Amino acid sequence: GAGVSQTPSNKVTEKGKYVELRCDPISGHTALYWYRQSLGQGPEFLIYFQGTGAADDSGLPNDRFFAVRPEGSVSTLKIQRTERGDSAVYLCASSLTPMRGEGSYNEQFFGPGTRLTVL
Amino acid sequence: GESVGLHLPTLSVQEGDNSIINCAYSNSASDYFIWYKQESGKGPQFIIDIRSNMDKRQGQRVTVLLNKTVKHLSLQIAATQPGDSAVYFCAENTASGGSYIPTFGRGTSLIVHP
């Protein structure tokens, strides 16, 4: 079955350029999450969408990072004026609904990631 | 090449042995914990979870133990197989914006020798 897909799988860019990374969640999943994973580290939360709105963007490192999900399905992570320190694998995950504090966990399904290299 | 500090803790076992992977978490207010498996070139995959009101949970060939007193989690894999070779992450979860947001640990690389 179709899982979470991310494009491109690899992106090489130059310092100062703008990049967009795309995530296609599993059909029908209302919650969508972006993470960043540096070499040898665990994923680091960036932002979470419930439907079209960003419910928690506390993980975005600075205002160069922005994400949208205009129709509540596909999401795009946008990075302006890229820096070498932005090089990482950017992971997207989706879940059927967000996990509620008192409810059962709705498993997050991860995509394969986009490897971003900033030269 | 890789720099010192980027090498993950590694556990090397023989096929058929039992494996134990340990994890320390930091937030005593975390009330939900998940173990993930990540194979090379793929995203993390959910293995098993446990809530803070439990100290043990079993799945198929896996068991998670939670010790809240010392803020420690462990993942036990029975009869480890070559297909279990991967990096394993624990994640503590805190509620935010209607969801649980995971904070991942650094990970342990499990290598299973046939």
Side-chain angles (χ1 to χ4, degrees), chain A residues 31 33 35 37 39-45 48 50 55-56 58 91 95 98-105 107-113, chain B residues 2 5-8 31-32 34 36 38 41-46 49 51 89 93 95-107:
Chain A
Y33 307 78
Y35 299 86
Q37 186 172 25
L39 185 64
Q41 304 294 323
E44 173 192 16
F45 169 75
Y48 143 62
Q50 170 54 22
D56 186 339
S58 61
L91 294 163
S95 65
M99 183 172 56
R100 296 178 299 278
E102 296 300 321
S104 61
Y105 176 71
E107 179 180 345
Q108 292 187 29
F109 294 86
F110 284 81
Chain B
E2 289 182 311
L6 294 180
H7 293 283
L8 290 169
D31 58 1
Y32 189 72
I34 304 169
Y36 290 91
Q38 187 173 25
K42 297 183 179 180
Q45 178 184 9
F46 173 95
D49 58 356
R51 290 196 176 275
F89 295 97
N93 290 261
S96 175
S99 181
Y100 273 131
I101 303 301
T103 299
F104 287 80
R106 188 162 174 238

Side-chain angles (χ1 to χ4, degrees), chain B residues 1-38:
Chain B
E2 289 182 311
S3 303
V4 173
L6 294 180
H7 293 283
L8 290 169
T10 299
L11 175 64
S12 231
V13 300
Q14 289 295 127
E15 181 178 3
D17 286 351
N18 296 332
S19 301
I20 300 176
I21 300 171
N22 296 303
C23 173
Y25 65 93
S26 58
N27 188 349
S28 57
S30 295
D31 58 1
Y32 189 72
F33 305 88
I34 304 169
W35 278 99
Y36 290 91
K37 172 186 181 183
Q38 187 173 25

Side-chain angles (χ1 to χ4, degrees), chain B residues 16-89:
Chain B
D17 286 351
N18 296 332
S19 301
I20 300 176
I21 300 171
N22 296 303
C23 173
Y25 65 93
S26 58
N27 188 349
S28 57
S30 295
D31 58 1
Y32 189 72
F33 305 88
I34 304 169
W35 278 99
Y36 290 91
K37 172 186 181 183
Q38 187 173 25
E39 296 174 291
S40 181
K42 297 183 179 180
Q45 178 184 9
F46 173 95
I47 301 173
I48 191 168
D49 58 356
I50 188 167
R51 290 196 176 275
S52 59
N53 60 356
M54 304 171 68
D55 54 20
K56 180 179 180 179
R57 189 162 188 223
Q58 288 185 290
Q60 186 176 15
R61 283 203 305 120
V62 294
T63 301
V64 55
L65 299 178
L66 173 62
N67 184 330
K68 295 183 291 296
T69 302
V70 296
K71 292 189 285 188
H72 182 270
L73 277 166
S74 68
L75 176 70
Q76 300 177 1
I77 305 174
T80 316
Q81 303 167 0
D84 295 328
S85 294
V87 176
Y88 289 81
F89 295 97

